[in-house]
Amino acid sequence: MELAYIPSPSRGVVYLGPIPLRGYAFCIIIGVFVAVWLGNRRWIARGGRAGTVADIAVWAVPFGLVGGRLYHVITDYELYFSEGRDWVDAFKIWEGGLGIWGAIALGAVGAWIGCRRRGIPLPAYADAIAPGIALAQACGRWGNWFNQELYGKPTDVPWALKITSDTDGRVPGTYHPTFLYESLWCIGVALLVIWADRRFKLGHGRAFALYVASYCVGRFWIEWMRVDDAHHILGLRLNDWTAILVFLLAVVYIVVSAKARPGREEIVEPGAAEESADGADGTAKDAEGKETEDKDSDGKDSDGKDSDGKDSGDKDSGDKDSVDLKKSEPAEDSVSEADSEKEKAGGKKG
């Protein structure tokens, strides 16, 4: 009895007029933006320039998409080149089918080209972008949900994924949502790398190697749960063997690198430290200049106040003189009137 389950989308594409908007493509695009955003923040914190991660991603992302598709087509060639199949479908990347192993391998080649053009060490760039790649995978796995693909064994757990499509050999029912398991695992990997990088100051590619090793652990048990067709070697799926091999290589790299080049790179991007120092000096000079201008303006204001005081003093003295003049004028008038009266009196006596 199905009490609860995760529903599958009725379709993985929405049409905006003649333009198809595919959920699988949206998940990949969102993942790329998340990886570049987080990688840029980590790169700046390590002493690099803003925008460098995005510039190198212009090389890494297309190479990664091509590498992921090539790995899928090569390992599942019967889906495109066997009898009754159309080889043109190998180019329809929007229908799903990207191998993370090929994406990382060829994406690293593109990143190496971008780093070489800027004079940046590839291991330092890989360390900065590693958690972002894990989060990009977490987003990209939801594209499998839109396409109703890469699910696990049948189950009736409350979080089971309900498959409704019956095309390409699918059998409707409820299955383990391995896309969800891997998405959550990748989020955990990103958090682990961020924590370990802060705690142990990982450098020279060791943060990236930690991401690779921890992802392989999760991919091994998740791959074991899947029921889609795959090549088997000695009872294990091909991707399980790939996960084991890549895990061992990543662990060996961490050990050897820690002994050969302990610590973290002091300079990750030539010229970035000098530019930040020049910017800080310029900011300090601007602040000093502003303080000087403020002091000068304060001095001018005080001088203005003194001149105003002098002017008011002059005004007060002028007002006093005018008052004295007004007071003396009536006195002179009274003296002249007294003299005229005396003259009159003298005339009468004579």
Side-chain angles (χ1 to χ4, degrees), residues 213-244:
S214 54
Y215 170 74
C216 288
V217 173
R219 181 61 185 265
F220 181 85
W221 67 266
I222 293 172
E223 186 74 19
W224 177 78
M225 296 179 68
R226 284 168 47 172
V227 295
D228 52 300
D229 293 333
H231 297 285
H232 287 73
I233 301 175
L234 299 178
L236 285 179
R237 293 165 66 96
L238 175 61
N239 282 331
D240 277 332
W241 286 109
T242 306
I244 293 173

Coordinates of all heavy atoms in Angstrom, one line a residue, residues 213-244:
A213 N 37.5 12.1 -3.7 CA 37.5 10.8 -2.9 C 36.1 10.7 -2.2 O 35.5 9.6 -2.2 CB 38.6 10.9 -1.9
S214 N 35.6 11.7 -1.6 CA 34.4 11.6 -0.8 C 33.2 11.4 -1.8 O 32.2 10.7 -1.4 CB 34.1 12.9 0.0 OG 34.2 14.0 -0.8
Y215 N 33.2 12.0 -3.0 CA 32.1 11.7 -3.9 C 32.1 10.3 -4.4 O 31.1 9.7 -4.5 CB 32.3 12.6 -5.2 CG 31.3 12.2 -6.3 CD1 30.0 12.5 -6.2 CD2 31.8 11.5 -7.4 CE1 29.1 12.1 -7.2 CE2 30.9 11.1 -8.4 CZ 29.6 11.5 -8.3 OH 28.7 11.0 -9.3
C216 N 33.3 9.7 -4.6 CA 33.4 8.3 -5.0 C 32.8 7.4 -4.0 O 32.2 6.3 -4.4 CB 34.9 8.0 -5.3 SG 35.6 8.8 -6.8
V217 N 33.0 7.7 -2.7 CA 32.4 6.8 -1.7 C 30.9 6.7 -1.8 O 30.3 5.6 -1.8 CB 32.8 7.3 -0.3 CG1 32.1 6.5 0.8 CG2 34.3 7.2 -0.1
G218 N 30.3 7.9 -2.0 CA 28.8 7.9 -2.2 C 28.4 7.3 -3.5 O 27.4 6.6 -3.5
R219 N 29.1 7.6 -4.5 CA 28.7 7.1 -5.9 C 28.8 5.6 -5.9 O 27.9 4.9 -6.6 CB 29.6 7.7 -6.9 CG 29.3 7.2 -8.4 CD 27.9 7.6 -8.7 NE 27.5 7.1 -10.0 CZ 27.6 7.8 -11.2 NH1 28.2 9.0 -11.2 NH2 27.2 7.3 -12.3
F220 N 29.7 5.0 -5.1 CA 29.8 3.5 -5.1 C 28.5 2.8 -4.6 O 27.9 2.0 -5.3 CB 31.0 3.1 -4.2 CG 31.2 1.6 -4.2 CD1 31.9 0.9 -5.2 CD2 30.6 0.8 -3.2 CE1 32.1 -0.4 -5.2 CE2 30.8 -0.6 -3.2 CZ 31.5 -1.2 -4.2
W221 N 28.0 3.3 -3.4 CA 26.8 2.6 -2.9 C 25.5 3.0 -3.6 O 24.6 2.2 -3.7 CB 26.7 2.8 -1.4 CG 26.4 4.2 -0.9 CD1 27.3 5.1 -0.5 CD2 25.1 4.8 -0.8 NE1 26.7 6.3 -0.2 CE2 25.4 6.1 -0.3 CE3 23.8 4.4 -1.0 CZ2 24.4 7.0 0.0 CZ3 22.8 5.3 -0.7 CH2 23.1 6.6 -0.2
I222 N 25.5 4.3 -4.1 CA 24.3 4.7 -4.9 C 24.3 4.0 -6.2 O 23.2 3.5 -6.7 CB 24.4 6.2 -5.1 CG1 24.2 6.9 -3.7 CG2 23.2 6.7 -6.0 CD1 24.4 8.4 -3.8
E223 N 25.4 3.8 -6.9 CA 25.4 3.1 -8.1 C 25.0 1.6 -8.0 O 24.3 1.0 -8.8 CB 26.9 3.1 -8.7 CG 27.0 2.5 -10.1 CD 26.5 3.4 -11.2 OE1 26.3 4.6 -10.9 OE2 26.2 2.9 -12.3
W224 N 25.3 1.1 -6.8 CA 24.9 -0.3 -6.5 C 23.4 -0.5 -6.5 O 22.9 -1.6 -6.7 CB 25.6 -0.8 -5.2 CG 25.2 -2.1 -4.8 CD1 25.8 -3.3 -5.3 CD2 24.2 -2.5 -3.8 NE1 25.2 -4.4 -4.6 CE2 24.2 -3.9 -3.7 CE3 23.4 -1.8 -3.0 CZ2 23.4 -4.6 -2.9 CZ3 22.6 -2.4 -2.1 CH2 22.6 -3.8 -2.1
M225 N 22.7 0.6 -6.1 CA 21.2 0.5 -6.0 C 20.5 0.7 -7.3 O 19.3 0.3 -7.4 CB 20.8 1.6 -5.0 CG 21.3 1.5 -3.6 SD 20.7 2.8 -2.6 CE 18.9 2.4 -2.5
R226 N 21.2 1.2 -8.3 CA 20.5 1.5 -9.6 C 20.2 0.2 -10.4 O 20.8 -0.8 -10.3 CB 21.4 2.5 -10.4 CG 21.3 3.9 -9.9 CD 22.3 4.8 -10.5 NE 22.4 4.7 -12.0 CZ 23.2 5.6 -12.7 NH1 23.9 6.5 -12.1 NH2 23.2 5.4 -14.0
V227 N 19.1 0.3 -11.2 CA 18.6 -0.8 -11.9 C 18.7 -0.6 -13.4 O 18.3 -1.5 -14.2 CB 17.2 -1.2 -11.5 CG1 17.1 -1.6 -10.1 CG2 16.2 0.0 -11.8
D228 N 19.1 0.6 -13.9 CA 19.2 0.8 -15.3 C 20.3 -0.1 -15.9 O 21.3 -0.5 -15.2 CB 19.5 2.3 -15.6 CG 20.7 2.8 -14.8 OD1 20.7 2.8 -13.6 OD2 21.7 3.3 -15.5
D229 N 20.3 -0.3 -17.2 CA 21.2 -1.2 -17.9 C 22.6 -0.6 -17.8 O 22.8 0.6 -17.9 CB 20.9 -1.3 -19.3 CG 19.6 -2.1 -19.5 OD1 19.2 -2.9 -18.6 OD2 18.9 -1.9 -20.5
A230 N 23.6 -1.4 -17.5 CA 25.0 -1.0 -17.4 C 25.9 -2.2 -17.7 O 25.5 -3.4 -17.5 CB 25.3 -0.4 -16.0
H231 N 27.1 -1.9 -18.1 CA 28.1 -3.0 -18.3 C 28.6 -3.4 -16.9 O 28.9 -2.6 -16.0 CB 29.3 -2.5 -19.1 CG 28.9 -2.1 -20.5 ND1 28.6 -3.0 -21.5 CD2 28.7 -0.9 -21.1 CE1 28.3 -2.4 -22.6 NE2 28.3 -1.1 -22.4
H232 N 28.8 -4.7 -16.8 CA 29.3 -5.3 -15.5 C 30.7 -6.0 -15.7 O 30.9 -6.6 -16.7 CB 28.3 -6.3 -15.0 CG 27.1 -5.7 -14.4 ND1 26.1 -5.2 -15.2 CD2 26.6 -5.6 -13.1 CE1 25.1 -4.7 -14.4 NE2 25.4 -4.9 -13.2
I233 N 31.5 -5.8 -14.7 CA 32.8 -6.5 -14.7 C 33.0 -7.2 -13.4 O 33.0 -6.5 -12.3 CB 34.0 -5.5 -14.9 CG1 33.8 -4.8 -16.3 CG2 35.3 -6.2 -14.9 CD1 34.8 -3.7 -16.5
L234 N 33.1 -8.5 -13.4 CA 33.2 -9.3 -12.1 C 32.1 -9.0 -11.2 O 32.3 -8.9 -10.0 CB 34.6 -9.0 -11.5 CG 35.8 -9.4 -12.3 CD1 37.1 -9.0 -11.5 CD2 35.8 -10.8 -12.7
G235 N 30.9 -8.9 -11.7 CA 29.7 -8.7 -10.9 C 29.4 -7.3 -10.5 O 28.4 -7.0 -9.8
L236 N 30.3 -6.3 -10.8 CA 30.1 -4.9 -10.4 C 29.9 -4.1 -11.6 O 30.4 -4.4 -12.7 CB 31.3 -4.4 -9.6 CG 31.5 -4.8 -8.2 CD1 32.8 -4.2 -7.6 CD2 30.3 -4.4 -7.3
R237 N 29.0 -3.1 -11.5 CA 28.8 -2.1 -12.6 C 30.1 -1.4 -12.9 O 30.9 -1.1 -12.0 CB 27.7 -1.2 -12.2 CG 26.3 -1.8 -12.0 CD 25.4 -0.9 -11.3 NE 25.0 0.3 -12.1 CZ 24.0 0.4 -12.8 NH1 23.1 -0.6 -12.9 NH2 23.7 1.5 -13.5
L238 N 30.2 -1.0 -14.2 CA 31.4 -0.3 -14.6 C 31.7 1.0 -13.8 O 32.8 1.3 -13.4 CB 31.2 0.1 -16.1 CG 32.3 1.0 -16.7 CD1 33.7 0.2 -16.7 CD2 32.0 1.4 -18.1
N239 N 30.6 1.7 -13.4 CA 30.8 3.0 -12.7 C 31.3 2.7 -11.2 O 31.9 3.5 -10.6 CB 29.5 3.8 -12.6 CG 29.3 4.5 -13.9 OD1 30.2 4.9 -14.6 ND2 28.0 4.8 -14.2
D240 N 31.0 1.5 -10.7 CA 31.5 1.1 -9.4 C 33.0 0.9 -9.5 O 33.8 1.4 -8.6 CB 30.9 -0.2 -8.9 CG 29.5 0.1 -8.2 OD1 29.3 1.2 -7.7 OD2 28.6 -0.8 -8.3
W241 N 33.5 0.2 -10.5 CA 34.9 0.1 -10.7 C 35.6 1.4 -10.9 O 36.7 1.7 -10.4 CB 35.2 -0.9 -11.9 CG 34.9 -2.3 -11.6 CD1 33.9 -3.1 -12.0 CD2 35.7 -3.1 -10.7 NE1 34.0 -4.3 -11.5 CE2 35.1 -4.4 -10.7 CE3 36.8 -2.9 -9.9 CZ2 35.6 -5.5 -9.9 CZ3 37.3 -4.0 -9.2 CH2 36.7 -5.3 -9.2
T242 N 35.0 2.3 -11.7 CA 35.5 3.6 -11.9 C 35.6 4.4 -10.6 O 36.6 5.1 -10.3 CB 34.7 4.4 -12.9 OG1 34.5 3.7 -14.1 CG2 35.3 5.8 -13.2
A243 N 34.6 4.3 -9.7 CA 34.6 5.0 -8.4 C 35.7 4.5 -7.6 O 36.4 5.2 -6.9 CB 33.3 4.8 -7.8
I244 N 36.0 3.1 -7.6 CA 37.0 2.6 -6.7 C 38.4 3.1 -7.2 O 39.2 3.5 -6.4 CB 37.0 1.0 -6.8 CG1 35.7 0.5 -6.1 CG2 38.2 0.4 -6.2 CD1 35.5 -1.0 -6.3

